[in-house]
Amino acid sequence: MRRSRWLTAAVVLSVAGTGAGLGLGSAPEAAAITPPVAFTADPLPTWQPNGVVWALAEADGTVYAGGTFSAVRPPGGSGGAEQPAVNFTALDAATGAPTSCKLSFTVASGTATVRALALSPDKKTLYAGGYFGAVNGTPVSSLAAIDTATCAPKAAFRPAFAATVRALAVTGDTVYAGGDFLTVAGQPRQRFAAVAASDGALRPFTANADEPGRAVEVTPDGTKVLLGGDFFTVNGTASHALAVVDAGSGAVTRAYPGFIETNSVVKDIAADATGFYTANEGTGGGVFDGRIALDLAGFNQRWRDTCLGATQAVLPYKAVLYSASHAHDCSSVGEFPDGRRNHLLAQPTTSVGKLGWAPDTNDGIGEGIGPRVMTVGSKGSVPYLWVGGEFTTVNGAAQQSLTRFASTGDTGAPTTPAASAVSFRPGQVQVRWRTSLDLDDSRLTYRVYRNGAAAPIATVDADSLFFRRPQASWTDTTVSAGQTYTYRVTATDAAGNTSALSATATVTVPTAPEAYPDRVRSDGAQLYWRWDESVLPYVADSSDGGNTSGVHHNAPALRQTPAAVTGPSTAIGFNGSDNKVYSDRRTTVGSSYTLETWVRTGTTRGGKLLGFGNNTERGSSQYDKHLYMTDDGRLVFGVYTGATRTITTGGTDRYNDNAWHHVVATQGPSGMVLYVDGVQKGTLNVTTHENFAGYWRAGGDSLGGWPDRPTSEFFAGQLDETAVYPTVLTAAQVQNHHNLAKAPANTVTRVTAAADTYANAGAPGTNYGTSGSLAVRGSALYASYLRFDLPAAPAGTVLKSATLSVKTSTMAGAGTADTVSVVPVTGAWTEAGTTYADRPALGATVLGTFPGIPDGSAVHTTALNTAAVSAALGGGYDLALTATGTDALWLWSSEAAANEGTPQLTLTFGP
């Protein structure tokens, strides 16, 4: 790797401590980005080559890019006037536009290319390696020296490399090179060589390798050189892909036989003040594709990141290692499973855990690798991270081969949270949401808004990464039984970029605990998917801990009825071909656990109902602890212990009869048990299962090798009330859950005003029935009148509670400091005809009160006298809003577009 990268890191570290020198430490770098990340994920406009960028280097605010291309054009996908750029371009680090420096790297036969760029320590000379025979017509042989002040090749520098140069590192007097060559200046030098920095004269340095060299880096004291590449020997010493040699002689001082897999190579080596980092690429199975950190003192391994996905470049900068790869499987280090490719990552230089920086490219042209090289270029005290390669998009937008990211100016807002709200018992509402994605901020601030208020009722900080977006929640304990509330959530990053408001989540607080979910929670479920969501792709975890949310894949059908449990709950529907849900949290399963779900289907193709696997979007390669259905409707509970061990329902019972069935499977110290509809159906004396980290899956996953394997691994039918427990439920608990599901439950009915208007003492003859507003004041009088058409109580139920909801308008001072009373209307009135002069008579009984309402457009709710409302069920019911003070209250009427369904009565019926 080029020597200049070591110097850049050292300068930045020293300047940050002194606040002097180049001024990099004084710049407001990444002030709005989650530390220790130093760059935004927002790509800046950058001119782009029409081919592949293989090399980058930076000096004094200019970024040099080398590769295989013939022209550059303006940023983005809109085209624009091209400029000739034959395998080389120089760009302004701050603007991304070409400078006046123009060089053409050409060859008489074949295809010329620039594969390596490196600066001298004083940045006065740029060294370029590759395969070429001339620079601007000046004869050279695959390695050239360029005067950065004049942008002209140095004619006195004339080494003669017989084949492609792929890597460079530069000290004050020596240029180290690696590549495909076997001779230099007619002398044997196999894949690695050193020449004088002044004139290119061959040095005695000899480090002959049997396969190509791809990376070179020099230790800070200049005494050792790290070599990387495809080789298996260096100077006859067994050392695959990595070796340390003496900087003067080339003699091997540290070999690495067996250290890196034989089908993997080193593509890049970079350094910081603590050591070295390698970028590794493998081919075939059992490869090493990730990154290694080596300490500075003894070149021993500090850590190894075994993610799969051909790492091409590594760049340490301010204690963060940025890397270019197409990482698609980091499950071996406890992160994302095999799936989509992620091309740009960041992690601390001290460990393998990924940080919250994940802009992305596509694979692009050529070999389809994506990004291949990185550097930091600074101008105006602002560092920029430059990335080159063969990609053609950045963050989904057209941009070829070059892009850059600034250390300031974070403009990307987090994604909109997917929120829901639930209340299982009086006095509390759980508001929960899937944490948002922000490509350069892992810590976000969430604000919860209730009833449309302008100010948040709660603020919550939570962490998320692109591959780990856990559920966050907040419990509202200031709610009243029987009342209806709405909630919305936003996400904000440290720069103040804020997402849109989530969709409105509406919930009515019950007057008594809901029997079934309350029991599931109290029995200790650690995952509880009720399947009540109305929007994709988030499945809320309703367990007491609430940290194992789910993700819909390929849009299963939401809010299916009838549900398995009586009450307002709904189920989820799967199509049997590609629908499924996976948990958003990687976990392990202990020796004791319980699986529980309700199932309804008429399928004759079977399918996986619920299980544990090592993948999310793709089919798992490890899978057990699962429930599945056979083609003929039998149910199977299985674990893997080196062989498949299963319990299968027997006899004539078949469960594909389009009826709801309660299925529970347990495993613990007493073995395995399978229950259906509260009845034990089989046992097996097996207490172990396959131990691996993975994800819970519902609706589909792999079943290869399992007995009675169904035709389809995907389930066609409905699931409801899916739960996983870290303990074994007893037979009595299982039976209790089955019974509670069929117990009568409360139902909620919402009734919007059928008519509404108000009377105004200041305009006694005016009707306001179509004005869109309502008003209340004691003096001079405003009074509002509401009519509701009430349903009869459902059979076997009575009215448990009634609430009235209204919404303040957006006019200034719409709220009131006075108490507003809800009273019955005893006289006749109509929406179109009522005025102050013929306003109706009112009853004296106060049905409910609003004890003052603050300014700001929001929904407000009060409980009403249940007995009075109950007496009016099945007919029309008229209410009035009155006050005694002088502070007016302004509300939206039912005609107003912004009323959110108000005025509204919420009626809760129960047994």
Side-chain angles (χ1 to χ4, degrees):
M1 201 56 227
R2 56 193 177 283
R3 175 67 174 150
S4 60
R5 258 200 328 209
W6 168 271
L7 295 172
T8 299
V11 169
V12 169
L13 289 170
S14 64
V15 170
T18 62
L22 297 177
L24 296 181
S26 62
E29 293 183 34
I33 302 168
T34 304
V37 170
F39 300 97
T40 79
D42 307 317
L44 298 174
T46 307
W47 278 60
Q48 51 192 330
N50 61 355
V52 178
V53 170
W54 297 101
L56 291 171
E58 182 272 343
D60 301 323
T62 298
V63 172
Y64 303 101
T68 310
F69 50 85
S70 61
V72 292
R73 65 182 187 279
S78 59
E82 288 189 343
Q83 295 184 9
V86 183
N87 301 314
F88 177 88
T89 185
L91 305 165
D92 186 285
T95 67
T99 69
S100 59
C101 179
K102 311 292 183 183
L103 297 172
S104 294
F105 288 75
T106 57
V107 69
S109 62
T111 301
T113 183
V114 174
R115 292 299 180 111
L117 295 170
L119 272 299
S120 60
D122 61 8
K123 295 197 173 185
K124 292 182 178 180
T125 303
L126 171 67
Y127 295 91
Y131 178 71
F132 46 84
V135 180
N136 283 5
T138 299
V140 291
S141 183
S142 295
L143 180 61
I146 311 298
D147 185 298
T148 56
T150 63
C151 187
K154 294 185 174 182
F157 184 83
R158 295 289 298 275
F161 283 79
T164 303
V165 173
R166 299 183 180 274
L168 294 172
V170 185
T171 66
D173 60 1
T174 303
V175 178
Y176 295 91
D180 301 347
F181 51 86
L182 299 178
T183 62
V184 178
Q187 299 298 311
R189 293 291 190 276
Q190 297 175 14
R191 280 89 184 200
F192 293 99
V195 299
S198 57
D199 60 6
L202 185 63
R203 297 288 201 200
F205 176 91
T206 302
N208 291 330
D210 59 336
E211 296 288 346
R214 298 184 182 273
V216 184
E217 187 64 86
V218 184
T219 59
D221 62 6
T223 64
K224 302 290 189 298
V225 180
L226 280 78
L227 310 178
D230 302 6
F231 51 82
F232 289 86
T233 63
V234 176
N235 290 341
T237 299
S239 189
H240 174 52
L242 181 68
V244 181
V245 299
D246 181 82
S249 66
V252 176
T253 61
R254 176 67 188 269
Y256 293 90
F259 183 66
I260 295 173
E261 282 75 356
T262 58
N263 51 354
S264 297
V265 302
V266 170
K267 299 295 291 288
D268 188 20
I269 302 175
D272 66 6
T274 66
F276 300 88
Y277 308 88
T278 70
N280 302 270
E281 176 186 85
T283 303
V287 300
F288 174 55
D289 265 351
R291 294 156 287 281
I292 298 173
L294 304 169
D295 64 49
L296 184 61
F299 308 106
N300 297 310
Q301 178 175 296
R302 203 164 68 217
W303 51 256
R304 180 179 290 227
D305 184 339
T306 53
C307 288
L308 295 175
T311 306
Q312 302 298 307
V314 285
L315 176 63
Y317 182 80
K318 292 195 170 182
V320 173
L321 183 68
Y322 299 89
S323 59
S325 68
H326 56 256
H328 57 86
D329 185 355
C330 286
S331 58
S332 62
V333 292
E335 296 175 333
F336 51 89
D338 194 13
R340 66 179 295 270
R341 294 183 169 197
N342 304 279
H343 296 86
L344 295 170
L345 299 174
Q347 61 198 95
T349 54
T350 56
S351 66
V352 302
K354 305 307 178 292
L355 298 169
W357 184 81
D360 203 13
T361 72
N362 64 353
D363 290 341
I365 59 176
E367 295 178 42
I369 293 292
R372 287 187 174 272
V373 64
M374 314 172 85
T375 196
V376 173
S378 300
K379 190 169 185 179
S381 297
V382 178
Y384 300 87
L385 174 63
W386 284 70
V387 179
E390 55 196 29
F391 49 85
T392 58
T393 66
V394 179
N395 287 357
Q399 177 69 22
Q400 182 169 344
S401 299
L402 270 179
T403 190
R404 63 199 176 97
F405 305 93
S407 56
T408 58
D410 181 11
T411 60
T415 59
T416 302
S420 67
V422 67
S423 182
F424 298 118
R425 53 178 53 241
Q428 62 182 38
V429 169
Q430 183 193 52
V431 185
R432 60 273 177 97
W433 58 92
R434 187 187 189 201
T435 46
S436 297
L437 172 63
D438 190 299
L439 295 179
D440 47 32
D441 291 278
S442 57
R443 169 138 291 221
L444 300 173
T445 297
Y446 298 88
R447 292 177 172 84
V448 182
Y449 298 85
R450 187 173 77 178
N451 292 347
I457 191 173
T459 300
V460 177
D461 289 341
D463 294 324
S464 57
L465 297 168
F466 72 92
F467 60 90
R468 185 182 297 127
R469 295 170 59 186
Q471 176 171 295
S473 66
W474 172 75
T475 299
D476 188 353
T477 57
T478 64
V479 294
S480 299
Q483 295 195 29
T484 299
Y485 299 86
T486 62
Y487 299 88
R488 304 182 79 179
V489 182
T490 63
T492 303
D493 66 16
N497 301 306
T498 300
S499 74
L501 281 162
S502 70
T504 300
T506 303
V507 61
T508 299
V509 182
T511 56
E514 293 188 12
Y516 185 90
D518 195 58
R519 176 54 57 189
V520 170
R521 286 161 55 89
S522 63
D523 280 347
Q526 66 179 183
L527 175 156
Y528 185 19
W529 295 341
R530 299 208 70 199
W531 310 115
D532 291 339
E533 291 73 34
S534 57
V535 294
L536 298 167
Y538 161 65
V539 184
D541 181 5
S542 295
S543 70
D544 191 42
N547 62 1
T548 312
S549 55
V551 180
H552 299 109
H553 186 71
N554 289 329
L558 307 183
R559 301 197 64 78
Q560 301 292 287
T561 57
V565 175
T566 55
S569 181
T570 60
I572 189 170
F574 297 95
N575 63 9
S577 60
D578 61 0
N579 292 164
K580 59 189 173 187
V581 170
Y582 57 86
S583 63
D584 210 11
R585 176 172 171 259
R586 192 170 186 260
T587 187
T588 56
V589 182
S591 58
S592 296
Y593 62 91
T594 297
L595 311 182
E596 179 178 39
T597 194
W598 287 78
V599 56
R600 180 175 181 264
T601 184
T603 185
T604 57
R605 290 169 50 82
K608 176 79 73 75
L609 308 179
L610 175 66
F612 193 71
N614 68 342
N615 213 314
T616 53
E617 296 183 2
R618 298 184 178 183
S620 297
S621 59
Q622 289 179 287
Y623 40 94
D624 83 332
K625 298 176 282 292
H626 51 206
L627 290 164
Y628 61 94
M629 180 175 282
T630 64
D631 287 351
D632 62 359
R634 290 173 294 146
L635 293 168
V636 183
F637 169 38
V639 300
Y640 186 75
T641 62
T644 59
R645 306 301 301 273
T646 59
I647 302 172
T648 304
T649 56
T652 60
D653 291 335
R654 297 294 183 268
Y655 300 101
N656 54 348
D657 56 359
N658 286 312
W660 280 111
H661 295 284
H662 182 222
V663 186
V664 178
T666 70
Q667 187 180 29
S670 298
M672 300 166 60
V673 185
L674 175 62
Y675 302 87
V676 180
D677 294 333
V679 178
Q680 181 177 298
K681 293 294 183 178
T683 63
L684 191 63
N685 186 24
V686 174
T687 60
T688 61
H689 53 77
E690 189 173 11
N691 186 19
F692 62 92
Y695 307 84
W696 291 108
R697 303 276 297 259
D701 199 7
S702 305
L703 279 169
W706 285 78
D708 294 315
R709 182 184 180 185
T711 300
S712 174
E713 294 181 337
F714 289 91
F715 172 64
Q718 296 172 333
L719 296 180
D720 201 6
E721 305 294 332
T722 301
V724 177
Y725 304 77
T727 58
V728 172
L729 292 186
T730 66
Q733 288 175 307
V734 173
Q735 181 66 57
N736 188 32
H737 288 199
H738 181 257
N739 294 340
L740 286 174
K742 299 307 177 184
N746 292 348
T747 60
V748 176
T749 300
R750 295 181 178 89
V751 183
T752 303
D756 53 13
T757 188
Y758 76 96
N760 178 1
T766 303
N767 171 263
Y768 295 94
T770 59
S771 68
S773 295
L774 300 172
V776 184
R777 185 174 60 195
S779 179
L781 185 139
Y782 294 143
S784 292
Y785 311 101
L786 316 172
R787 174 169 293 139
F788 297 92
D789 295 327
L790 302 184
T797 68
V798 296
L799 183 68
K800 293 297 187 72
S801 67
T803 61
L804 172 66
S805 299
V806 295
K807 185 177 184 182
T808 45
S809 73
T810 53
M811 78 162 51
T816 180
D818 299 333
T819 295
V820 174
S821 298
V822 184
V823 298
V825 176
T826 58
W829 67 282
T830 64
E831 183 178 75
T834 295
T835 66
Y836 177 80
D838 61 356
R839 65 191 184 279
L842 307 180
T845 302
V846 176
L847 304 174
T849 59
F850 294 94
I853 292 178
D855 290 342
S857 183
V859 176
H860 299 274
T861 302
T862 184
L864 300 182
N865 183 291
T866 304
V869 178
S870 181
L873 291 174
Y877 191 48
D878 294 349
L879 301 173
L881 302 178
T882 65
T884 57
T886 59
D887 188 7
L889 170 68
W890 289 93
L891 306 171
W892 292 123
S893 76
S894 59
E895 285 85 3
N899 66 4
E900 290 195 13
T902 61
Q904 182 181 92
L905 284 180
T906 301
L907 309 176
T908 301
F909 299 97

